[in-house]
Amino acid sequence: MRLDKYLKVSRLIKRRTVAAEACSAGKVSVNGKVQKASYDVKIGDILELTFGEKVIKLQVVSAQEFARKEDADSMYKPL
């Protein structure tokens, strides 16, 4: 699954276009490297999202194409 779509489906970022812009701006890194929106997310990847001063670090647990609101937080594990 593409990185921008994963961020949207897991509800870490509200819209896919905003997720793509965050990737382009270098605010999203996977396994310690800044990645483009087209990066293929795999189970076990470590994501770091930067929102201003706040940094969120999490591990990918599953990569489903669709997730209900209640199930979205089960797609990742905070570190």
Side-chain angles (χ1 to χ4, degrees):
M1 174 185 294
R2 288 175 53 104
L3 179 57
D4 57 347
K5 185 170 182 178
Y6 180 82
L7 293 172
K8 185 224 179 266
V9 171
S10 64
R11 292 185 170 64
L12 291 166
I13 297 181
K14 197 169 191 175
R15 288 181 282 150
R16 189 168 175 179
T17 54
V18 175
E21 290 169 2
C23 293
S24 298
K27 296 183 183 232
V28 181
S29 65
V30 181
N31 298 326
K33 294 173 69 176
V34 175
Q35 296 291 345
K36 294 182 180 180
S38 61
Y39 174 81
D40 189 31
V41 175
K42 297 170 223 42
I43 294 172
D45 282 346
I46 305 294
L47 303 180
E48 283 189 36
L49 307 168
T50 305
F51 297 111
E53 297 292 318
K54 188 175 180 182
V55 177
I56 298 173
K57 191 172 184 180
L58 49 99
Q59 182 177 16
V60 177
V61 175
S62 70
Q64 307 165 6
E65 290 293 321
F66 303 100
R68 294 185 3 206
K69 184 178 178 182
E70 299 83 23
D71 302 330
D73 61 344
S74 67
M75 292 180 67
Y76 57 87
K77 177 175 66 172
L79 299 175

